[in-house]
Each structure stands twice: as C-alpha cells, then as structure tokens.
C-alpha cells in the first residue's frame, strides 16, 4: 500500500489527509515513480487554501525526486532504476509513490542527490525562467528581489550574481539577512524595519532598479512599484502575503511608464524540451557553485501539515524537503 495526501475541502493545513492507496500498474505513457524526497512549494498552500482552485477531492504536491519502479506500454525514454525528478502542474507529489506521465519527468544527473533535486527542481526552474526568459536580466543591471532568503529567493540571488547583476535583497529578519548575504546579495533591506523603496532609491542614486522580482505579492506591491526605475519591469510572480488585485493600470504611467508581468512557470515549462532546457541550466549553475541547495529544514512527508504551517508563518529558510 502507498500513502497519498488528499484534500476533500479547502482550508488550513488540517484539511490534508493521508490515505492508503493501491496503485494500478502504470498506464500507457506512464511510469511508476517511487518518491525519495518531495519538495515543499508555496504553491502547495494555494492549492490547499483554495487561492488556486483545484478539483476536489484533490491531491497536493508539485515536486519530487526518486526512481522509476515500473514502466507502462510505449515508454522508451526511461527504464526501471532510472533516477528522475518531476515538477509541474500535475499535483500528487505528496505520496510515497505514484504513476506519472513521462512527459513530466526530467532525468537526474548522478551528481545531484534526491534531496538536492527536491529542493531545486521547481524553484530552480522558476529562477531560470524569471531571470533569463521573463526579465531577461543583463550583466550590470541592479535587481531588487523580495524574500531573498526563501526557496526561490536564495537561488535567484546566486543566479543573479553569477550573471553579473547587482542584487538588492529584502528579507524579514536578521538571520535571513545573513543567508541573503551569504548567497551573494550586495545590499540587504530588512523589510519589517526599513522603508524598502526609500532604501532602493538611496542605493541606486535615486534612479530605482530596472527589474523587481516580487514573489511576496500584496505586502510588497507598492514598494515594488516605488522602487522601479522609469520604464522598468515589475515581475510579480507570487502571493506569499496575499494576491495583488484591484490594480488601476494608470498607476503604471504615474510611476514612470512601468511594465508589469504576472508569469507562471507553467507557461514557460510546458513541453518536455522546455523543462529539460531549464533544468540543464539549473544543473549547470549548481555544478559551478553559482547556486547552492540551501535546505533550511526537512520534515517527514506525513508531517507536511506542519511544513505548511511553517512556510505560511514565514518561518522557513531556503528550501524545505519532505522525506517519505
Ligand atoms: P519561500 O520559501 O520564499 O517562502 C515565502 C517567503 O515569503 C517567506 O519566507 C517570507 O520571507 C516571505 N513573506 C513575506 N510576507 C509573507 C507573509 N505574509 N506570509 C508568509 N511569507 C511571507 O517560498 P517559495 O520559494 O516556495 O516561493 C516564493 C514565491 O514564489 C511564492 O510566492 C510562490 O508562490 C512563488 N512562485 C511562483 C512561481 C511562478 O511560476 N509564478 C513558481 C514558484 C514559486 P521573509 O520573512 O524574508 O519576508
């Protein structure tokens, strides 16, 4: 019997329930994957809370690393024993094992262990598309990134430094400030104590930054706009503090003809080729030490409700890994 997490209704972490499940043999185009490490992502809390609606009853979990245990008809790219990772819109990673379509899999290099993979697949692919494909950050640019000691944030700081950007990081505590500095941030702003936009203007000689990477959402939206240079870009990619809504487009003109985008990884990593291309760049950055898998905490997979409480309280640092 396998264990799989389900929700029958949306709500707090207490709605997550574990059920025993007998898996069928993998269908055509699927493999059975045994999970060795599962990544926690903020998006999992949106699925659970209902911010991002899912069909109910529904499964949770967007990222895992493990091994192929059985292959279905027509599968030629993977065989039993292959180490693989999965990330993406198909939920169900909160499970000891599952059947999964091969199109969702990425092969794992020998140099990347299961925990590291679970820490950097989804968050690394996000970092890659945000910086390289969405904001198209160039060497010499100064980038403001919020929650810089978080899962995506920590990876993004290292990535930005590796491509020659200057990084202004915001964080919620002194301990997180140390993490952001260790990742390479040039300037660190304590967002609960300082006026973020005023500090950014001070650091940039009044100009503001050409790019803001904002995964915090509601709480940082105004500061992000006020920190952006004339004709600069705000990439609003998450809702850790709540969703940004009710925006009057005229504000973009008033603040300096700004650009705003609200991207999702799942439009940048759709085909297997797009996923593998993003992951190749993530693994290359890992290999050369530009990004490090900062696993700040791990939990038993069946304690995932506790992990949800921790990430929603802002108590996690770096990535969080769940162990089956
Ligand atoms: P993090 O590890 O970054 O955790 C969220 C962090 O946000 C916290 O540690 C905290 O850092 C900060 N924060 C600020 N305000 C709050 C608040 N009110 N409640 C909780 N946390 C708050 O999470 P992830 O790395 O998993 O994700 C980061 C963001 O990226 C999320 O918004 C997520 O949805 C988004 N994302 C978007 C993707 C996309 O395709 N668009 C893909 C992947 C992630 P601090 O204490 O330093 O302020």
């Amino acid at each position: 019997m396998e264990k799989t997490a389900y929700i029958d209704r949306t709500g707090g972490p207490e709605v997550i329930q574990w059920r025993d499940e007998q898996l069928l043999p993998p269908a055509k185009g699927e493999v059975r994957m045994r999970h060795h490490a599962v990544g926690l992502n903020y998006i999992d809390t949106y699925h659970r809370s209902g911010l991002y609606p899912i069909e109910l009853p529904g499964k949770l979990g967007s990222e895992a690393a493990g091994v192929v245990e059985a292959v279905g008809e027509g599968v030629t790219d993977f065989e039993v024993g292959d180490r693989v990772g999965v990330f993406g819109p198909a939920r169900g990673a909160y499970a000891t094992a599952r059947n999964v379509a091969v199109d969702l899999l990425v092969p794992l290099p020998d140099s990347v262990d299961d925990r590291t993979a679970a820490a950097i697949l989804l968050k690394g692919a996000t970092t890659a598309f945000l910086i390289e494909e969405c904001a198209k950050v160039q060497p010499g640019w100064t980038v403001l990134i919020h929650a810089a000691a978080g899962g995506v944030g920590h990876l993004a700081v290292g990535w930005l430094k590796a491509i020659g950007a200057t990084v202004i990081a915001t964080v919620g505590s002194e301990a997180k400030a140390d993490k952001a500095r260790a990742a390479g941030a040039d300037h660190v702003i304590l967002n609960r104590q300082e006026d973020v936009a005023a500090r950014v203007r001070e650091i940039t000689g009044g100009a503001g930054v050409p790019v803001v990477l904002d995964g915090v959402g509601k709480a940082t939206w105004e500061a992000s706009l006020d920190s952006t240079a004339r004709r600069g870009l705000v990439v609003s990619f998450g809702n850790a503090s709540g969703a940004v809504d009710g925006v009057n487009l005229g504000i973009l003109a008033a603040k300096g003809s700004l650009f705003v985008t609200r991207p999702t990884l799942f439009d940048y990593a759709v085909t297997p080729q797009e996923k593998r291309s993003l992951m190749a760049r993530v693994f290359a950055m890992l290999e050369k030490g530009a990004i490090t898998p900062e696993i700040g905490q791990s939990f038993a997979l069946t304690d995932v409700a506790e992990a949800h409480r921790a990430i929603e309280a802002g108590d996690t640092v770096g990535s969080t890994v769940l162990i089956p």
Side-chain angles (χ1 to χ4, degrees), residues 44-277:
D44 305 344
T45 71
Y46 308 150
H47 292 140
R48 191 213 70 224
S49 71
L51 180 65
Y52 291 179
I54 61 170
E55 199 174 312
L56 297 174
K59 298 181 186 181
L60 295 179
S62 309
E63 176 179 36
V67 65
V68 174
E69 269 191 352
V71 298
E73 188 192 329
V75 173
T76 53
D77 287 3
F78 294 95
E79 50 190 58
V80 171
D82 282 353
R83 295 183 59 243
V84 290
V86 60
F87 65 95
R91 284 158 293 98
Y94 294 178
T96 48
R98 68 166 156 165
N99 292 329
V100 60
V102 286
D103 283 359
L104 300 176
L105 297 178
V106 289
L108 294 182
D110 290 343
S111 56
V112 178
D113 64 62
D114 293 327
R115 288 179 188 228
T116 298
I120 63 150
L121 290 171
L122 194 152
K123 289 174 271 288
T126 300
T127 301
F129 96 80
L130 286 174
I131 293 172
E132 296 194 342
E133 294 170 17
C134 187
K136 298 186 172 71
V137 176
Q138 301 300 308
W141 287 12
T142 300
V143 176
L144 171 66
I145 176 155
H146 297 296
V152 173
H154 188 273
L155 295 173
V157 172
W159 196 297
L160 288 164
K161 289 307 297 173
I163 63 169
T166 297
V167 178
I168 305 177
T170 80
V171 293
S173 69
E174 290 285 0
K176 289 183 180 183
D178 290 341
K179 291 285 180 194
R181 275 188 210 100
D186 300 276
H187 308 273
V188 180
I189 302 174
L190 287 165
N191 58 20
R192 294 199 176 86
Q193 295 163 33
E194 300 180 86
D195 179 334
V196 172
R199 286 275 287 117
V200 170
R201 294 283 167 184
E202 185 186 35
I203 292 163
T204 57
V209 292
V211 172
V212 179
L213 299 178
D214 186 344
V216 171
K218 200 178 185 74
T220 44
W221 171 247
E222 292 289 338
S224 291
L225 293 179
D226 288 338
S227 300
T228 307
R230 191 162 51 87
R231 303 196 312 235
L233 172 68
V234 180
V235 181
S236 179
F237 66 97
N239 325 275
S241 66
V244 177
D245 54 18
V247 176
N248 175 352
L249 283 183
I251 197 74
L252 302 180
K255 300 281 184 185
S257 298
L258 305 185
F259 293 82
V260 172
T261 181
R262 176 59 179 88
T264 164
L265 171 64
F266 308 131
D267 284 319
Y268 286 79
V270 178
T271 65
Q273 292 74 20
E274 285 170 342
K275 283 190 159 202
R276 288 179 195 190
S277 160

Side-chain angles (χ1 to χ4, degrees), residues 5 16 18 33-42 44-45 60-66 92-97 113-120 123 294-311 316 318-324:
I16 302 171
W18 286 94
M33 176 179 173
R34 179 145 308 275
H35 294 165
H36 289 165
V38 174
L40 179 76
N41 288 283
Y42 219 101
D44 305 344
T45 71
L60 295 179
S62 309
E63 176 179 36
Y94 294 178
T96 48
D113 64 62
D114 293 327
R115 288 179 188 228
T116 298
I120 63 150
K123 289 174 271 288
E294 173 73 26
I295 301 174
Q297 50 285 308
S298 55
F299 294 79
L301 179 58
T302 46
D303 290 336
V304 66
E306 281 311 308
H308 275 221
R309 287 187 187 99
I311 199 168
T316 58
S319 296
T320 303
V321 173
L322 310 163
I323 304 300

